[in-house]
Amino acid sequence: MIETFRNIFKIHDLRQRILFTVIILALERVGTHIVTPGIDTSVLAEGMKNLSGTLFGLYDLFAGGAFKKAAVFGLGIMPYISASIIFQLLGAVVPYIQRLQKEGEEGRKKITQYTRYGTLLISAMQAFGVAIFLESIEVNGVKAVIHPGMSFRLLTMLSMATGTMLIMWLGELIDERGIGNGISLIIFIGIIARLPAAIMEEWIQFSSGNRTLLTELFLIALAFVIVAGIVALTQGTRKIPVQYAKRVVGRKVYGGVNTHFPLRVNTAGVMPIIFAQAIMFVPSTLFSFFPDSEFIGTMQRAFSMESWFYWLIYGIMIVFFTYFYTAIALNPVDVADNLKKQGGFVPGVRPGKKTAEYLDNILTRITLPGSIALAIVAIIPYILVKSFHISYNYASFFGGTGLLIIVGVALDTIQRFESHLFMRHYDGFMKSGKIRGCISVNEEVVHGIPSSRRVLREGDIVSVDIGVKYKGFHGDSAFTFPVGDISPEKKKLLRVTIEALYRGIDQARSNNRLQDISHAIQSHAESYGYGVVRELVGHGIGKTLHEEPQVPNFGKPHRGPLLRAGMTLAIEPMINMGTRHVLTLDDGWTVVTQDRLPSAHYEHTIIISNGKPEIITENNLKDEVFKWPKNNQ
């Protein structure tokens, strides 16, 4: 783990992204403490004490505590989330939105633009409502708003709507230049900001003798168990086997591969709890406006968190909304149609309508345990409050919406760190140990794990990637070997890949740009119709195996850092016979081509000079490849 953190900060680009993300999140937290003009903060603080357990309390959770302070960021990012949900729901019923969703990148851009407009409209409406709510707060005859009226309402609308749009922009900046999902991280940091106060509350209880050491140890152990359960719930999938029919194009055979389509146990994520909480808080919020009615008082007790009736209805609503949102998020008919168009099918099931029914049946069955587990996670904080008499603020970190968001965002961010480390061949958080030898066969691009169980056969191609350390310095080299007599198509792939390597090396000269190397590799490989892998790149090399700069195998010429004499680079094109896209197997390490067609990998370590670059891992192995007759191309 310590080595992983060291690796993270060795990578200049990743280090810059982390720093940028931290700065943006810090700026967002500053905005949660800037109060909207015209408010008496002492009266406001007193009037906001009883927010928990109401709809406003739920809103304050997502606003990171800014709502109860009536800050300019008081609406948080919720208007944007609301607009996104609205357009997602409209996609199920409005044909125009459905077309945009299927138009790829251009359609997504239009929906994003409409979502921004919707965010501005919703935030302005909500800010107006908040202004009226703030004007109603009164403590001992003193109003929270110093000068109520239309001028205050318009000022609040302007301040809070602008704050929401600024938060949305900060989230998009993180997406573009930081690490992780910006909107999710902003919500995440707002929830985490409540943790120190919750721990301090519990410490005071423990110090005063109201809580025993055994109870605290039990709660800590319970927290680990709950988090482990949420991780399993979040990542749990049912793998549906899928086969793709073979297609012959010219002399090449495409497809004919076995893969799987993952169906998540919890497709809906945290949304069912948010919907259920929002609806369950509506009665208690409305009842608070009729304090003198005996009937309303009875109903208020039934819908209070101490009532078993509340928990029962709450759990049922979570199960219902889990099915509802799953039906919106994943349409089995669309999945079945896409599989059919791509030549894929589920073994034993007819393509089209039968496949859609099969997927719908499985999704219905796996969603039931997922929805029940989600309901249990949501109810845990209330059980702890009643059983151990801990504060709700502390109990909320043992389950419910907050913990689900924390775990989900943390897993997503770790996976993004993994992808950055993986792209540069570093071990990540989830690796159990370093794999020293990388031997990749046929469709394996890199990181093939040596095994005595796999038998090489005539016609296979094998890529061997080796790193060596000598007198404190590293060298890195890779070569793809033919096993016996290989097909003309594979001979062509190997020859083109090694030609692309040397074309890239030829551009590695002082005063050229880094992407001159990249462009030379990409243009040569793609001129033969091959796919250039983009997820994996070459790298600088020296006292450590992987240093800056990255050396991608794709790019536009005359861009990137200026090359200087004395720089040492490892250039390694990875070229696929079919699509450029790759995926990682379940072992979390081996990278294979998405279409399971062969891939070739060659690498040299070179030193840039004022003239021709020096190849310090040069060998005669390439001579055999260049002896193959040209008609194999």
Side-chain angles (χ1 to χ4, degrees), residues 564-623:
R564 297 293 188 188
M567 293 177 68
T568 310
L569 303 175
I571 302 173
E572 49 177 325
M574 285 150 275
I575 310 299
N576 299 341
M577 186 179 287
T579 177
R580 67 175 177 84
H581 298 291
V582 298
L583 53 89
T584 306
L585 297 183
D586 292 339
D587 59 20
W589 184 256
T590 306
V591 181
V592 300
T593 58
Q594 190 179 72
D595 54 14
R596 298 302 200 273
L597 293 178
S599 180
H601 177 201
Y602 291 95
E603 177 181 18
H604 273 317
T605 300
I606 61 111
I607 299 175
I608 296 174
S609 63
N610 290 321
K612 187 177 180 180
E614 180 183 355
I615 304 174
I616 61 177
T617 53
E618 183 65 288
N619 54 62
N620 296 324
L621 294 172
K622 70 178 184 303
D623 296 342

Side-chain angles (χ1 to χ4, degrees), residues 472-617:
F473 290 90
H474 290 79
D476 205 1
S477 182
F479 197 90
T480 301
F481 296 91
V483 178
D485 187 25
I486 61 175
S487 67
E489 289 79 14
K490 288 183 177 178
K491 285 183 178 181
K492 177 182 174 182
L493 174 66
L494 269 56
R495 186 182 185 99
V496 170
T497 305
I498 203 168
E499 287 173 350
L501 169 64
Y502 280 91
R503 284 175 183 257
I505 291 173
D506 189 58
Q507 293 297 318
R509 298 172 185 263
S510 181
N511 295 321
N512 275 2
R513 294 285 179 175
L514 182 70
Q515 288 197 23
D516 291 334
I517 301 173
S518 310
H519 179 70
I521 293 170
Q522 181 184 15
S523 59
H524 184 69
E526 290 184 349
S527 68
Y528 287 86
Y530 293 145
V532 179
V533 176
R534 301 194 177 195
E535 289 81 356
L536 298 150
V537 297
H539 50 89
I541 190 168
K543 291 187 176 180
T544 58
L545 186 60
H546 299 95
E547 298 180 352
E548 293 296 324
Q550 298 177 51
V551 187
N553 297 309
F554 64 96
K556 296 181 179 180
H558 317 306
R559 295 190 180 184
L562 192 67
L563 301 178
R564 297 293 188 188
M567 293 177 68
T568 310
L569 303 175
I571 302 173
E572 49 177 325
M574 285 150 275
I575 310 299
N576 299 341
M577 186 179 287
T579 177
R580 67 175 177 84
H581 298 291
V582 298
L583 53 89
T584 306
L585 297 183
D586 292 339
D587 59 20
W589 184 256
T590 306
V591 181
V592 300
T593 58
Q594 190 179 72
D595 54 14
R596 298 302 200 273
L597 293 178
S599 180
H601 177 201
Y602 291 95
E603 177 181 18
H604 273 317
T605 300
I606 61 111
I607 299 175
I608 296 174
S609 63
N610 290 321
K612 187 177 180 180
E614 180 183 355
I615 304 174
I616 61 177
T617 53

Side-chain angles (χ1 to χ4, degrees), residues 221-282:
L222 181 62
F224 279 104
V225 172
I226 293 171
V227 169
I230 292 176
V231 170
L233 177 63
T234 303
Q235 296 189 320
T237 57
R238 166 74 182 272
K239 295 178 180 179
I240 307 299
V242 176
Q243 292 182 359
Y244 287 90
K246 291 184 178 181
R247 295 181 293 118
V248 179
V249 181
R251 298 176 66 184
K252 294 182 181 179
V253 178
Y254 294 91
V257 297
N258 298 325
T259 183
H260 65 267
F261 180 81
L263 290 178
R264 289 189 174 275
V265 174
N266 181 24
T267 303
V270 73
M271 295 309 298
I273 296 183
I274 295 175
F275 285 152
Q277 272 187 317
I279 291 178
M280 292 302 293
F281 282 150
V282 167

Side-chain angles (χ1 to χ4, degrees), residues 171-438:
E172 291 177 354
L173 281 180
I174 293 175
D175 291 340
E176 181 182 346
R177 299 173 56 187
I179 185 82
N181 182 290
I183 301 300
S184 298
L185 282 172
I186 287 172
I187 297 174
F188 172 87
I189 204 68
I191 296 172
I192 288 293
R194 297 166 43 240
L195 183 59
I199 293 175
M200 186 58 65
E201 288 175 7
E202 191 63 18
W203 173 255
I204 292 172
Q205 292 293 323
F206 176 72
S207 302
S208 60
N210 295 331
R211 205 92 69 233
T212 65
L213 178 61
L214 185 62
T215 300
E216 294 296 343
L217 291 175
F218 172 77
L219 289 173
I220 292 171
L222 181 62
F224 279 104
V225 172
I226 293 171
V227 169
I230 292 176
V231 170
L233 177 63
T234 303
Q235 296 189 320
T237 57
R238 166 74 182 272
K239 295 178 180 179
I240 307 299
V242 176
Q243 292 182 359
Y244 287 90
K246 291 184 178 181
R247 295 181 293 118
V248 179
V249 181
R251 298 176 66 184
K252 294 182 181 179
V253 178
Y254 294 91
V257 297
N258 298 325
T259 183
H260 65 267
F261 180 81
L263 290 178
R264 289 189 174 275
V265 174
N266 181 24
T267 303
V270 73
M271 295 309 298
I273 296 183
I274 295 175
F275 285 152
Q277 272 187 317
I279 291 178
M280 292 302 293
F281 282 150
V282 167
S284 58
T285 304
L286 293 176
F287 294 156
S288 63
F289 293 108
F290 304 96
D292 300 326
S293 171
E294 185 177 342
F295 173 74
I296 294 297
T298 303
M299 294 297 294
Q300 190 169 15
R301 286 189 293 273
F303 278 92
S304 69
M305 294 183 183
E306 288 75 26
S307 169
W308 64 268
F309 179 76
Y310 175 92
W311 288 355
L312 177 64
I313 299 300
Y314 184 38
I316 292 173
M317 293 194 72
I318 289 173
V319 172
F320 168 76
F321 279 117
T322 302
Y323 276 98
F324 172 78
Y325 202 80
T326 298
I328 297 295
L330 182 64
N331 188 345
V333 175
D334 289 343
V335 174
D337 288 344
N338 289 333
L339 282 176
K340 188 176 181 180
K341 290 175 184 177
Q342 296 168 7
F345 62 93
V346 178
V349 182
R350 292 183 63 183
K353 183 179 178 181
K354 291 293 182 182
T355 298
E357 292 174 353
Y358 174 78
L359 293 175
D360 184 58
N361 184 40
I362 291 179
L363 195 60
T364 300
R365 285 187 292 171
I366 66 173
T367 299
L368 180 61
S371 63
I372 293 173
L374 205 59
I376 292 172
V377 169
I379 292 171
I380 283 175
Y382 306 126
I383 296 175
L384 292 179
V385 169
K386 192 167 185 179
S387 302
F388 294 94
H389 306 291
I390 62 178
S391 67
Y392 179 76
N393 193 25
Y394 186 58
S396 64
F397 288 95
F398 288 83
T401 312
L403 186 60
L404 279 166
I405 291 173
I406 290 171
V407 173
V409 174
L411 287 172
D412 176 68
T413 306
I414 287 174
Q415 288 170 356
R416 290 171 189 257
F417 277 119
E418 285 279 312
S419 66
H420 279 271
L421 293 170
F422 172 73
M423 187 169 67
R424 298 160 181 86
H425 308 289
Y426 284 110
D427 282 345
F429 293 98
M430 302 177 184
K431 304 294 182 289
S432 57
K434 294 182 179 179
I435 297 176
R436 302 293 182 180
C438 293

